[in-house]
Each structure stands twice: as structure tokens, then as C-alpha cells.
Amino acid sequence: MTTSSDNPTATRTETDSLGSVEVPAAAYWGVHTLRALENFPISKRPISVYPELVIALAAVKQAAARANHDVGVLNDRKAAFIDAACQRIIDGEYHEQFVVGVIQGGAGTSTNMNANEVIANVALELAGYAKGRYDILHPIDDVNRSQSTNDTYPTALKVAMTYSLTTMLDELELLRRSFSAKGREFHEILKVGRTQLQDAVPMTLGQEFHGFATTLGEDLERLRETIKLLGEVNLGATAIGTGITADPGYAARAVAHLSTITGHQLVTAPDLIEATSDTGVFMTFSSALKRSAIKLSKICNDLRLLSSGPQAGFGEINLPPKQAGSSIMPGKVNPVIPEAVSQVAYAIAGADLTVTMAAESGQLQLNAFEPVIAHSLLQSITWMRQACWTLRVNCVDGITANTERLAGMVASSVGVITALIPFIGYGEASALAKLALVTGRPVADLVVEAGLMTREAVVAQLVPEKLSGIGPITQAIPVIELQGEPSE
């Protein structure tokens, strides 16, 4: 065995309850992390793919060190070096040392051990000692003091999701603004509305895009509500919620420090037994995220329909061309950005089912399946954030309207006769609509020829503001005098 960290094959010996193993000398992780690497070669994705989680773990450990120092169970020197090591990780260093897979058994113990070992070895280096000198500063006795995986890991998950959600909401808000801007840009462009894929009454393209913005705004509010739910943590509960091994004053101090470190208002759960075993908040959050993703996918489906063609489809709007659409058909351009966003929504819907099953499968005082909950939700947030970005930058901001086609479809639409029902009645309107479909003639001409309204009156009602519902069009239908005597 060699011990020089300059030698890439050098190792150091570390020992746990199962025996001694050789750990790469350059690694900041140790024996417990090595066991996890051997046991869980499943996902091929280390937890470092979620930097928010790594930062959250360091923040929890930093808060714990400060609280342990407050209550007198961690001396000044150890607390200071642990604190400094955590800050280095929070600032973005050593993330590549968080190597355990995102899918793991043990309710997150491997992730917690990875964090403990990296923080301990960074702290040892800062203090001038070699990695592995756990007689000086220990990953469990010192870094993990007053803690269990069962309170630090779910607390870190909630902090990580809050971090990640905050940045995702920023992107969702920018996307909402883009749709709103298109609503203003298209506010005077009339088009044919559709229900059940059949022609309906007119509206404006601006109204359609404003509706997209509104639905995204509603989801922003629902997702923001979950941030408060994520702020209730069980830090200080230790193994099952009884707080065993922790000073009575530790929990309150640890949560207060964590609030300061993260910049988010966190509170201690009122029932730590319940908070340690229950994962309901993750289901609530997952459901809200799925709702937003599915509604965004519906919008993307609408964009694909509205832009379909360009010759044999709706062809009402143009999506920015982003890449060649076919290896065999020259000139073909596909709606690749909305297609990608919809696939993200499908993945998020699947992840929501995973979270639901994992939440249901927890037994008694702990849910052992929080790692797959963490992976499912952090991946969903990350993908949703990037989907919002690419939809805004590579699609929505560049959408244009085919104004001539839209105007032509409105002019030939039978649906405009709906605006004349308050003046001619449903029965007359229905008969003339059928006649217009058969003959292909404009309904305005047929109404005038039938003597039901003057040309001026028809034109006055078929202006954009009235066809789109912006201006009132209703009035009492004139009484038609009946011929002959009333029947007995």
C-alpha cells in the first residue's frame, strides 16, 4: 500500500464495522461511500448531478455544526473547520466528490455518509492534517453529531427542492411573460375558434395566447404555495423523531441556523415522529409539478396544431424553424421544441407515479424509499426548468401570425352567424348556416338577402371587437307577428 496522494494508484486504509478497505488516497470520500459505490452501480448518475442537493447537504451540516457548538457538544476548533469545509462546498467546490448513485438502498444513508466523509476530509485538510485522520476529526462523531440520516436527509431534500424550484419558477414566469407579450402583439388578429376540433365562434389570436399566459400564471401560484410546505423540516428528530442523542436545545438552534444559511424560512415540524415517517409533502409538490407540466404540454399540442402544415394544415401561426425535419423530405421543418417539452411532461407524469408509490411504501417510523423520491422530483424540476427555457427562447419569442390566412378563414366561417343570433334568432341562424355550408356563400350576404338585417347592421355586428366578445352584441330578438288566428 502507498499513501502519497500524488500517486494516482495510492490508497489509504479505512475501517468500518464490516472490516477494512483501501480507499483512493486522493478521494475525499471514505469507506462508507466506497461500500455504496460497490452496492449500488445502478443509475450511473452520482448525486452530484443535482448541485442543489449537494449544497443543501452542506448547508444542513453547517447548521448542525453551529447548533452543536451553541449547545456545547462541539468545540470551537472542530466547529470552525467543519463550518469552513461546508462553506467551501456551498460555494461550489468538491461537488465531484459526491459520487454515490442517486438510486440507493438505506433511506439515503449512503448520501449522508458521503457528505459526512467529504466534509470531514476537507476540514482535516483545512486544519493541516491528511485525509483519513479521523482520530482528529471524525465523519460521524463530529460532522454527524446530533444527527441521523433520517432527519438530515429529508431536510436536505426539502432545501434542495426549494432551491431548485425557485429557479424553475423564474423560468416559468419568463415563459408566462413571453406568452403574454404575444397576446398583446396579436390582440387585433381575428381567427376562428375551435371546440372539439370543429369550427366554433371567432376570437382573436391575442386572446388565445393570453389564455396560455393565464394558465401558466395559475400554476405559478400553485407551485409557490408548495415552498411553504417544504419549509417544515424534521431536523433534530434524529432516528425516529424522539431526538435521541441530541441536546434538547439543538433542534431549534439547528433550524434557525439553517434558515439563515439558506435564506428560506424553515420551521420545526410540530410532530417529529410524524414528520420523520410521512412523505406527503413530496406527493403534494409532485402533483403540483405534474399539473403544471401537463398543462404546458397541452399548450404545446395547441402550438403544434396551430402551426400544422404549412400547406395542408391549420397554418395559422409560424413556429421558428430550428432544424431540418426529415432525412428524406427536403424543406420539411418539424415543431421539435414543443415536441421535446411534451416529452418532459410525460416523464414528469411518470415520476409523479413513482413518488406516489414510494410514499405509500414507507413502513412504520421511516420511509426507506426517499432516494427515488429525491431523484424523481429533482430530475423533474431540472427538466421542467430547461423545458421552459427552450420553449421561450427557441419557440414562443419567435412565433409569427399568418394574418392573411387567418382573415380568410374568418371571412368564410359559418361560425360568425352566432354573433347575429340576438338579432335574427337561433332558428333562422341555423337554417342560414346550413345554406352557407352548402353554397359556400358568406353568411352576411345570406342574412341580408333574407331581409333579416340590413347590410349596415350586419357589418356593425361583425367587427373584430364584437366577434371576439370584447364588445357587447346582445339585444332582445324582435317579435315576429304570427299569421292567422291562434289555435284553441
Side-chain angles (χ1 to χ4, degrees):
M1 179 190 74
T2 58
T3 57
S4 173
S5 59
D6 294 332
N7 183 346
T9 63
T11 62
R12 67 177 185 267
T13 303
E14 291 202 11
T15 303
D16 65 0
S17 60
L18 300 182
S20 297
V21 296
E22 296 302 308
V23 175
Y28 287 84
W29 43 266
V31 56
H32 297 289
T33 301
L34 181 61
R35 303 279 192 204
L37 290 173
E38 295 171 343
N39 291 333
F40 310 119
I42 298 169
S43 65
K44 301 299 182 182
R45 300 183 70 185
I47 58 174
S48 59
V49 300
Y50 303 122
E52 297 90 347
L53 178 57
V54 174
I55 292 170
L57 286 164
V60 169
K61 297 297 178 178
Q62 188 178 54
R66 292 178 183 181
N68 281 322
H69 181 259
D70 290 345
V71 300
V73 298
L74 197 62
N75 67 41
D76 294 350
R77 184 171 172 80
K78 287 184 177 182
F81 283 114
I82 292 172
D83 195 311
C86 290
Q87 190 60 51
R88 299 282 287 271
I89 295 168
I90 291 171
D91 292 339
E93 298 182 61
Y94 305 103
H95 284 208
E96 76 285 351
Q97 297 296 316
F98 289 77
V99 294
V100 299
V102 293
I103 302 299
Q104 56 190 257
T109 297
S110 297
T111 294
N112 187 38
M113 291 295 199
N114 194 166
N116 290 331
E117 290 171 344
V118 172
I119 292 167
N121 282 307
V122 171
L124 284 167
E125 278 198 347
L126 292 175
Y129 296 95
K131 301 183 192 72
R133 286 296 309 273
Y134 299 147
D135 58 317
I136 304 296
L137 191 150
H138 199 276
I140 297 176
D141 290 339
D142 297 317
V143 179
N144 199 62
R145 187 68 182 262
S146 307
Q147 302 155 63
S148 163
T149 294
N150 304 347
D151 64 338
T152 57
Y153 183 68
T155 297
L157 294 188
K158 291 178 179 179
V159 171
M161 288 174 193
T162 300
Y163 284 152
S164 191
L165 177 59
T166 300
T167 58
M168 192 212 84
L169 291 179
D170 290 341
E171 282 297 339
L172 188 57
E173 170 61 17
L174 290 173
L175 179 60
R176 185 201 66 78
R177 292 180 187 178
S178 289
F179 276 114
S180 184
K182 287 296 171 182
R184 293 189 296 272
E185 180 182 341
F186 301 149
H187 78 285
E188 291 184 347
I189 301 175
L190 273 177
K191 59 161 288 177
V192 176
R194 296 178 182 86
T195 57
Q196 296 164 274
L197 289 179
Q198 304 300 304
D199 296 348
V201 297
M203 63 186 301
T204 69
L205 190 60
Q207 287 173 316
E208 194 161 34
F209 274 77
H210 186 269
F212 295 155
T214 298
T215 197
L216 295 182
E218 291 175 350
D219 287 312
L220 277 163
E221 292 305 312
R222 300 294 80 76
L223 286 165
R224 286 186 181 118
E225 290 169 0
T226 65
I227 292 179
K228 182 177 180 181
L229 298 178
L230 290 169
E232 184 179 286
V233 299
N234 72 328
L235 189 59
T238 65
I240 64 170
T242 61
I244 190 170
T245 74
D247 183 277
Y250 165 80
R253 287 178 170 83
V255 173
H257 282 303
L258 189 57
S259 294
T260 300
I261 292 165
T262 62
H264 293 285
Q265 184 59 48
L266 305 171
V267 297
T268 302
D271 186 333
L272 291 178
I273 298 288
E274 182 275 339
T276 304
S277 64
D278 180 63
T279 54
V281 64
F282 297 128
M283 282 196 294
T284 299
F285 173 71
S286 181
S287 178
L289 188 60
K290 180 185 74 172
R291 165 188 154 139
S292 181
I294 294 302
K295 290 170 69 176
L296 186 59
S297 181
K298 189 270 181 189
I299 291 171
C300 286
N301 289 338
D302 287 350
L303 294 178
R304 289 166 57 221
L305 275 174
L306 294 173
S307 65
S308 60
Q311 293 171 303
F314 285 14
E316 295 186 357
I317 62 173
N318 305 301
L319 305 185
K322 286 300 175 180
Q323 63 187 55
S326 174
S327 61
I328 188 173
M329 292 175 282
K332 192 172 191 292
V333 178
N334 295 328
V336 293
I337 304 301
E339 288 171 351
V341 173
S342 286
Q343 290 177 78
V344 168
Y346 308 153
I348 291 174
D352 179 64
L353 179 58
T354 298
V355 171
T356 301
M357 294 177 67
E360 184 273 337
S361 296
Q363 298 91 22
L364 303 176
Q365 277 67 62
L366 181 68
N367 190 308
F369 307 105
E370 287 185 354
V372 76
I373 292 176
H375 169 55
S376 298
L377 289 179
L378 289 172
Q379 175 179 273
S380 292
I381 300 169
T382 301
W383 286 15
M384 183 71 167
R385 179 177 65 239
Q386 296 307 110
C388 288
W389 178 86
T390 195
L391 184 61
R392 171 175 60 89
V393 173
N394 291 316
C395 183
V396 177
D397 285 347
I399 290 175
T400 57
N402 286 333
T403 54
E404 290 185 5
R405 180 169 176 79
L406 288 164
M409 285 193 288
V410 171
S412 61
S413 172
V414 174
V416 297
I417 201 168
T418 304
L420 304 180
I421 288 177
F423 304 91
I424 66 175
Y426 182 86
E428 294 284 2
S430 180
L432 292 177
K434 291 179 181 179
L435 182 60
L437 287 171
V438 171
T439 64
R441 297 183 63 199
V443 294
D445 292 347
L446 296 177
V447 170
V448 173
E449 290 177 10
L452 297 172
M453 295 178 69
T454 65
R455 175 70 63 180
E456 292 75 14
V458 171
V459 170
Q461 297 306 319
L462 300 187
V463 294
E465 61 268 22
K466 292 191 176 182
L467 286 177
S468 61
I470 298 173
I473 61 172
T474 188
Q475 72 169 46
I477 298 172
V479 176
I480 300 175
E481 297 296 334
L482 299 178
Q483 302 296 320
E485 296 294 326
S487 60
E488 295 296 332

